[in-house]
Amino acid sequence: MILHLIRHPEPLIEPGICYGQLDILAKNVKTAAERLRAELPPDLPVWSSPLRRCRELAEQLHPAPIFDRRLAEMDFGAWEGRSWDSISRAELDAWAADLADYAPPGGESPRQLQRRALDFVGELSVPEAVLVTHAGVIRLLLAAHLKLPVEQWLAQPVAYAARVVLDLGRPGSGDV
């Protein structure tokens, strides 16, 4: 199976704010969609996170995208909507010390996000698809496929409105 993993365009939010599952709009959606349509094979099914920054792009890419909560960004719980600078050093240090399994208060851990994203992909039964989603989902799907060590899970850069092609039939593939 080939997956075209697309990150949403840049969100309309002040820099430095933790916005995992906040439902915010994105900038330049139509421009991003035009560019991506030219890059994508025609007539592929599209699944998307239901969050508006993904939803709007998915609706530009396909007349009837399918929305699935498992493609939503990590739930940062009590950190949502707060500036990263306002989160206590102790909480950030606890996350850094246990990158895979630490969950912000009321939120989820990267490993929990990875499990739900992998569950979603495991249920797909198409040869090729587009997934409009978030950097966290893309990074953790790549990490699982490439068998990256935990300390590299969140290190892969994923630009806004970028496409990553993941060929699940080829171990080690993950072209940006």
Side-chain angles (χ1 to χ4, degrees):
M1 178 180 353
I2 297 172
L3 298 176
H4 300 268
L5 306 172
I6 297 174
R7 184 180 184 190
H8 59 79
E10 184 178 356
L12 284 166
I13 193 166
E14 184 180 320
I17 301 295
C18 177
Y19 62 89
Q21 290 198 3
L22 288 182
D23 200 11
I24 52 180
L25 297 172
K27 302 175 185 176
N28 304 314
V29 173
K30 288 183 181 184
T31 303
E34 288 171 9
R35 181 183 48 76
L36 288 162
R37 274 194 300 273
E39 295 177 15
L40 291 165
D43 303 320
L44 291 179
V46 174
W47 279 268
S48 175
S49 160
L51 298 175
R52 288 188 296 181
R53 57 192 186 268
C54 292
R55 173 184 288 274
E56 290 184 340
L57 179 58
E59 290 170 341
Q60 292 284 322
L61 295 175
H62 193 279
I66 302 164
F67 301 100
D68 195 297
R69 295 261 346 135
R70 293 173 292 178
L71 294 175
E73 183 59 283
M74 187 170 130
D75 181 352
F76 284 94
W79 295 2
E80 294 279 346
R82 292 176 54 195
S83 73
W84 286 102
D85 292 340
S86 74
I87 299 167
S88 79
R89 183 84 248 157
E91 287 179 287
L92 293 173
D93 287 347
W95 188 21
D98 189 5
L99 190 59
D101 294 306
Y102 179 82
E108 70 182 327
S109 71
R111 190 179 313 273
Q112 289 169 314
L113 167 57
Q114 186 180 57
R115 281 189 193 121
R116 70 174 157 84
L118 288 170
D119 286 347
F120 171 83
V121 169
E123 291 178 12
L124 287 177
S125 59
V126 295
E128 193 167 7
V130 174
L131 306 183
V132 180
T133 187
H134 307 268
V137 173
I138 294 169
R139 287 178 178 130
L140 293 171
L141 287 173
L142 284 171
H145 184 67
L146 298 173
K147 299 179 179 15
L148 296 177
V150 169
E151 59 272 8
Q152 293 179 19
W153 279 14
L154 303 176
Q156 300 83 31
V158 182
Y160 292 116
R163 177 177 67 117
V164 175
V165 180
L166 184 59
D167 185 343
L168 297 178
R170 280 192 13 221
S173 76
D175 301 325
V176 177

